[in-house]
Amino acid sequence: MEITQLLGYLGALIIGIVLGLIGGGGSILTVPVLVYLLAVNPVVATAYSLFVVGVSSLVGALKNIKKGLVDFKTAIVFSIPAFIAVYVTRKYLVPALPDELFTIGGFLVTKDIGIMVFFALIMLLASYSMIWGSCKNCDDDTAEIQYNYPMIILEGLVVGVLTGIVGAGGGFLIIPALVMLAKLPMKKAVATSLLIIAVKSLIGFLGDVQNLDIEWAFLLRFTALSVIGIFIGVWLNKFIEGSKLKKGFGWFVVAMAVYILWKELG
């Protein structure tokens, strides 16, 4: 096995750890690992990412449900519009995108490059609120939860479409929404995010099964390593403060976004 393949499978383990630790960001790693280390086509990689992140997040969500950390009311309000949006996007919008999008100064922007660059830009936007946004109840597990229903539903629709385009579970978008719109403490936001990501990602993947040839042996191997990682991440979560988790997560997203932009455009 080549060194890049070994690093790719190590990446699968890290994806699970990141998901368990911060309730998102696993998909931010999954697509680059599949594309750059395991030579998977970007469109196929976004589909595989939905499955890997969906299964891994489901395992983490079940563990967090046992701990009483999941806020089901918020999850349901957020999830229904997100489910619809992600399925429609994967089933109809992504297959309809042309292979060659446009040309800028002689540089051809293909569908594959466009997806990765769009992915990176969304990551940079999401990171801003996590690093510089206020979070008074990040560490207060007794804070009163508030429900801004219209905004939570709108955010669900937007995250669903973005998730469908870039194959990301959307934790890097869901967590800021749960913290700012539902006023969830950071650790409850992480736990609730995992449940939303799990169901939304797997529904999105169903839209791909009908359009792509899935290499199941490889996909299940990769996913198994991520599931092992998520057990490690959920355990580590007990030892880290929510406010530190939030800023660390934001800077992690920035680093990954810069790397993707450099790789695609540099």
Side-chain angles (χ1 to χ4, degrees):
M1 187 179 289
E2 296 179 4
I3 186 67
T4 53
Q5 285 181 304
L6 285 172
L7 289 173
Y9 285 117
L10 176 62
L13 186 68
I14 294 171
I15 287 161
I17 293 173
V18 171
L19 269 170
L21 189 60
I22 57 182
S27 50
I28 293 173
L29 276 173
T30 308
V31 175
V33 165
L34 290 169
V35 172
Y36 301 131
L37 296 179
L38 297 170
V40 177
N41 172 276
V43 174
V44 176
T46 60
Y48 284 7
S49 173
L50 288 173
F51 182 81
V52 172
V53 172
V55 172
S56 302
S57 297
L58 183 59
V59 173
L62 292 173
K63 285 184 70 66
N64 283 319
I65 287 170
K66 290 180 181 178
K67 296 177 182 178
L69 288 174
V70 175
D71 186 276
F72 288 100
K73 187 175 181 181
T74 302
I76 291 168
V77 172
F78 191 98
S79 297
I80 292 173
F83 295 166
I84 296 168
V86 73
Y87 180 82
V88 170
T89 300
R90 293 304 297 187
K91 176 65 175 170
Y92 301 107
L93 179 59
V94 173
L97 292 173
D99 290 333
E100 297 182 0
L101 298 177
F102 52 86
T103 303
I104 300 179
F107 180 77
L108 176 63
V109 178
T110 64
K111 178 178 181 176
D112 292 347
I113 292 174
I115 285 174
M116 296 303 292
V117 171
F118 181 66
F119 189 14
L121 294 176
I122 293 299
M123 289 161 64
L124 287 174
L125 288 173
S127 67
Y128 178 84
S129 65
M130 300 304 291
I131 297 170
W132 289 286
S134 62
C135 185
K136 295 178 182 177
N137 62 331
C138 266
D139 297 311
D140 184 4
D141 292 336
T142 63
E144 182 181 354
I145 298 171
Q146 302 171 23
Y147 299 99
N148 185 340
Y149 290 117
M151 287 303 296
I152 293 173
I153 291 169
L154 178 61
E155 182 83 9
L157 283 170
V158 171
V159 170
V161 172
L162 295 177
T163 293
I165 292 173
V166 303
F172 58 96
L173 296 169
I174 295 169
I175 292 173
L178 297 182
V179 171
M180 292 184 292
L181 301 179
K183 307 300 181 187
L184 286 181
M186 186 62 183
K187 291 194 176 182
K188 281 193 175 180
V190 167
T192 305
S193 170
L194 282 177
L195 180 61
I196 295 169
I197 290 169
V199 184
K200 179 167 55 63
S201 298
L202 292 173
I203 287 175
F205 181 71
L206 291 178
D208 284 306
V209 170
Q210 303 164 61
N211 296 325
L212 299 171
D213 291 324
I214 308 297
E215 192 179 334
W216 284 105
F218 164 77
L219 184 55
L220 292 174
R221 242 186 348 260
F222 193 92
T223 304
L225 286 168
S226 293
V227 169
I228 293 169
I230 206 162
F231 280 103
I232 300 171
V234 169
W235 177 75
L236 288 174
N237 184 276
K238 295 185 292 187
F239 306 104
I240 303 174
E241 293 178 10
S243 54
K244 292 180 179 176
L245 210 54
K246 176 175 173 284
K247 288 200 173 183
F249 176 57
W251 284 113
F252 169 77
V253 172
V254 170
M256 289 305 300
V258 170
Y259 174 77
I260 290 171
L261 289 172
W262 171 78
K263 191 76 175 175
E264 295 297 326
L265 303 177

